Amino acid sequence: MRKIRQLLLGGAIALLPAVGVAGSAAELPLKKWNIGVRAKLGTAEWSEQDSALIIRSKAAGGFCEFFTRAKVPLPSFEVLGVDVRLDRSRTAPLQNFTIRIQDTTGEILQYTLAGITLPEGDRLSFTIDRSRRPAVSWGGNNDKKIDLPARICGGAFRLRNGATGTVVLKGISATVKKAAMVAPGVALKLPENRLPVFDPARKSAALEVSNHNQVPAEAEITVAIRNMVTGRILPGRTARLKLPAAGTVEFPFDLPEEYGVYELSYSAVFPGKEVAARSGVLRFGCMIPADRGERAMKGFLFGICSQHLARLSPEEAEREIAAIALCGANIVRYCSYWDIMEPKRGEFNFGPLDFVVDTVGKYGLKSQVLHSRLPKWATAAGWKPLMRNGRTKAGRALPDFEAWRRSIEVFTSRYRGWVGYAEIWNEPDLYSYADFTTGDYLKLLKTAAAAIRANDPAAVILSGGFATVPPPNWTNGNADIVKRTLRDGRDDYDIFALHSHTTLPQCVAVIDRLMEERRAANDRKPWYMNEAGLTTRNCSEAEQAAEMFRKILYCRARGAMAYNWYALRDDGWNRHDGEHHFGILLPNFEPKPAYVTFNMLTSVYNGAEFLKTVFDDGDGMSLLFRGKDAMLFACFRNRNDRRERYAALSGVTGRVWKIDLFGNSSEVPVRNGVAVAEIGTAPCTLKVTGREPHFHGELLRFADTCLTRGRKNIVRLRLANPSDREQLFHLALETPETLKAARREQTCKAAPHSFVELQWELTPAAGHAAADSGKLRAVLGTLGEFVSDLPFEYVNQLSYGDFPEKPDYTVSDQQQVSIQVPSAHEFSAMVWSGPQDCSAKLFLAGDGKNLRLRADVTDDRHVQKNRKGDMWMGDSIQFVIAPTELKGHWRFGFSLRDDGSVDAHIWDVPNGYDAEQALAVTKAEVSRDEAAKLTRYEITMPLRMLDIGTKPFRFNLLVNDNDGTIRESFISLAPGLGRNFDVNQYPPLVLKENEK
């Protein structure tokens, strides 16, 4: 007999087929759906007396939407009829009625009856045809098709004439009009840790392939596995599986041998019934899981933020805590949620926090609790918001100090000895999180500190984690709060806490400001980067992993006693919301590469002690740590760089290994005490046994690979001999036919511990437009043989005389944008939203006497209140001209002030040049077309002043964007300006000579 599920509907038995059969009908369990309505839209309640659901709309416009809390599946179908029965006598006149179906991918599809299709009787009949796309859908795979199994997840209605009123639902039934065979279900069989993360030592894992149909079937499944970072594809596998009716069969596959994060692509189909096919991508990680609480660096803790543990279900909260322990963290940061603990004055609910605190301890982790977010009843009498733009978030107002003291006292007394670290408020330098004065915060801090020390003397108190170290023009909060906390609040905290959600160069600038303030205040207490991450909205997941390596180890080198990565898990799937993508796990607990990188850091650097910075040239850095059984050199560049670069260690007395971001280790040959390792394409660790060796910079480095077409170019190569003996170097250059070399091979000798420089004469073909690349093969004596790719750049020749009709460059891509505001919800309106927000078209030309620049900047709002060297804080342009044959560069800035005046400034000049004299001979015209939202900058600079003539130079330009409160972002032609200054990343230009 066909298996059916029995469900209750208002006390009666409702029959819902597990698999649809044509003609089968079922009453859907309206009561069991547990329907809810958003409070501001209306209310919903089940009437036992009437066996009906009563939904009351109270929103203006007569609109109301409802949702189902329970997950009751629909039968499988190709065409489904859904009847909604109303009590018309008690239902207000309807303008339209909608039902929403959620499919297995999470996509929500909307079906609406409106106008003439809306009958007057008590029955609304919908026909759901999977072959027809609905007008509205969102989420999931967003393919506008229902992927089975599916369920009704809610609906909406609008009353006529925008009235408020009531809709009474008596029942909903479904009839399968055309049956469907459900595609096989495919899921990853999770290990004991309940996460898709495996130790490669177990050799194999398995997929669970399910048959959702009530008849046995044979399924064909194909699997392919790809490393998400390297792109390496492992051998695939195809097999046929015999699936029992409504049963599951395991499909084993070999695990990769290397650590990392992998995508498993699969397709599953019942042969001959291709309509019942399923394909998708699953993720899993390979790493060595940590034992509980086992890992820590000497004098340094690894932490992870999982703010909302107390708001999650117990099952989900424990799964997050287990994931934190699994990757080797020592500490978890979460919120105390005063509004949950004491929703009404004197009425306490300790259940959620008891579970979280106990579970954190169960997994061997330390608790760092953030005290913030007050219940509404605890707002101080007479409090007035300071926030100038927007609305203060719920729970961020000034608390009543006595209620605040009492809440801290109750919490600390209950969890004495269980919570090791207490943080007093979140980001108190932002009005959106702390909408009160600096004096109020210092009183709040003092009150909390006294209550904690009285009830749990062993607890360590952190200052509020500051979003930044505010500059003097800070308008999003109290600009003096860090300075005064260091000076006036020092007795009320044990550790100073800081946040950072940027790349390393911006993070370095904030840390530098913090160190200046600490020196000024004579503050010697520990500091803690206790909330810091990087959203993958604006970078790749591989870049997030690389930035994790850089930031955590750099903060340790600057004296931080701990680092909490923000956050464990993405908040959602909205690709446009930066806040949704800070996690190192996806919302479904699948790993990003950074999760395995965190595991590598807690493993490789477990017990390590920071010693010193051994190399820092402003572009690359190497930090030295003493590990348990070896020296560890953390090597990274300040940006992601795809060129091969080689670093040398001399004086090696043991062995050397290179460890990548995920823990994969490869031995580096040691020849006569010298080891040469490739670095630079991604951060890495060089592990060295024996005594400490000497770290050298790049072994071979081209000064410039910038070429002018149709001319002879000199390219210089600098080579290092790190060994203590003379070396014979032999180098061979390989170039394409479009790039002629006067000589391809060179040989030279290099004295011990010295440098030599070689030159190549290269001539690119005239008119050749494409970029070229070559290879350098180097046999460096006893050091070894090396191959390096050489990407050659070609100089862009600029117009002579008038500006070209088409722009030389367009600056409008998201990858060219650098967001300058914190990644928090209240700043979401300030995040770059497209070319209409801020972009530019650049035109350049020369006439033999002057270099001329025109920048047509599209900006939805022009604001400039600053002058001279501070103009970068408002709408303005900055550009750099770096002549290749001069030491130094020019860095100009121009702006149109709000009063209509034009302002100019020069920050940098080449050695021997005078900024004021240069400004005196530079002409600038700036105008604004408000209707077109266009600001035009026209700049004329004498070539004699710039000293470029017809010589190549590198050029970059950025546009600063301020829509009224703060410099929210900038958009630049090329990297290396505004964040990490590097003229070598700028495009090379040359002025065309007068062809007449």
Side-chain angles (χ1 to χ4, degrees), residues 14 73 105 168 358 401 549 604 633 640 650 796 846 941 949:
T105 74
V168 180
D358 289 345
F401 284 104
F549 182 99
V604 172
F633 291 85
N640 291 302
S650 62
N796 182 23
M941 298 158 286

Side-chain angles (χ1 to χ4, degrees), residues 311-338:
R311 292 194 176 276
L312 303 178
S313 68
E315 180 183 8
E316 194 173 12
E318 181 164 5
R319 201 175 178 197
E320 287 208 359
I321 294 166
I324 292 171
L326 191 74
C327 66
N330 320 117
I331 194 165
V332 54
R333 175 179 181 256
Y334 56 91
C335 299
S336 63
Y337 283 117
W338 182 8

Side-chain angles (χ1 to χ4, degrees), residues 633-841:
F633 291 85
C635 305
F636 55 87
R637 307 187 72 76
N638 291 337
R639 66 178 189 275
N640 291 302
D641 191 338
R642 299 188 181 277
R643 292 181 57 183
E644 296 92 345
R645 299 177 187 272
Y646 296 92
L649 297 169
S650 62
V652 178
T653 60
R655 300 170 68 184
V656 180
W657 293 266
K658 176 184 172 183
I659 304 172
D660 70 10
L661 279 174
F662 310 107
N664 299 299
S665 179
S666 58
E667 188 161 6
V668 179
V670 179
R671 299 181 178 91
N672 300 312
V674 177
V676 179
E678 180 187 335
I679 61 171
T681 54
C684 66
T685 300
L686 298 180
K687 179 179 177 180
V688 185
T689 60
R691 70 168 183 258
E692 178 188 334
H694 179 71
F695 184 92
H696 300 264
E698 289 189 49
L699 189 65
L700 45 90
R701 183 169 191 172
F702 279 91
D704 201 351
T705 53
C706 172
L707 308 177
T708 302
R709 298 177 185 88
R711 297 181 183 177
K712 293 180 180 179
N713 298 264
I714 302 298
V715 176
R716 297 178 176 86
L717 171 65
R718 184 174 180 265
L719 298 114
N721 176 11
S723 70
D724 56 4
R725 62 178 63 185
E726 184 180 76
Q727 298 286 352
L728 180 66
F729 292 170
H730 179 78
L731 300 105
L733 183 67
E734 300 175 4
T735 60
E737 293 182 0
T738 53
L739 186 58
K740 303 296 183 183
R743 56 190 302 192
R744 296 193 177 275
E745 297 188 8
Q746 296 194 54
T747 302
C748 66
K749 292 182 179 180
H753 303 291
S754 68
F755 296 93
V756 294
E757 186 175 280
L758 300 179
Q759 296 183 355
W760 264 276
E761 183 182 290
L762 302 176
T763 305
H768 178 59
D772 277 324
S773 62
K775 285 186 182 296
L776 179 70
R777 299 185 183 277
V779 180
L780 304 183
T782 63
L783 302 178
E785 299 182 17
F786 308 94
V787 179
S788 180
D789 288 327
L790 299 175
F792 292 107
E793 300 176 89
Y794 285 128
V795 173
N796 182 23
Q797 290 188 311
L798 303 178
S799 300
Y800 185 91
D802 294 333
F803 290 122
E805 292 184 8
K806 295 182 179 180
D808 291 288
Y809 297 101
T810 298
V811 187
S812 61
D813 191 85
Q814 180 179 327
Q815 298 300 316
Q816 298 172 303
V817 177
S818 178
I819 306 299
Q820 298 297 292
V821 293
S823 295
H825 179 72
E826 64 273 16
F827 292 102
S828 60
M830 297 185 182
V831 175
W832 187 79
S833 58
Q836 78 288 346
D837 187 351
C838 183
S839 59
K841 295 179 179 179

Side-chain angles (χ1 to χ4, degrees), residues 599-619:
N599 177 74
M600 180 279 296
L601 287 169
T602 64
S603 175
V604 172
Y605 289 86
N606 180 28
E609 176 186 10
F610 173 71
L611 297 180
K612 59 185 176 182
T613 300
V614 295
F615 179 78
D616 183 1
D617 67 355
D619 184 28

Side-chain angles (χ1 to χ4, degrees), residues 75-78 103-104 130 146-150 180-183 278:
S76 59
F77 66 92
E78 286 298 330
D103 72 5
T104 191
R130 290 179 61 211
I146 299 176
D147 296 298
L148 299 176
M181 189 166 187
V182 181
R278 188 183 309 282

Side-chain angles (χ1 to χ4, degrees), residues 64-82:
C64 186
E65 58 183 353
F66 54 91
F67 55 89
T68 65
R69 298 185 179 94
K71 296 181 179 181
V72 180
L74 290 168
S76 59
F77 66 92
E78 286 298 330
V79 180
L80 183 73
V82 177

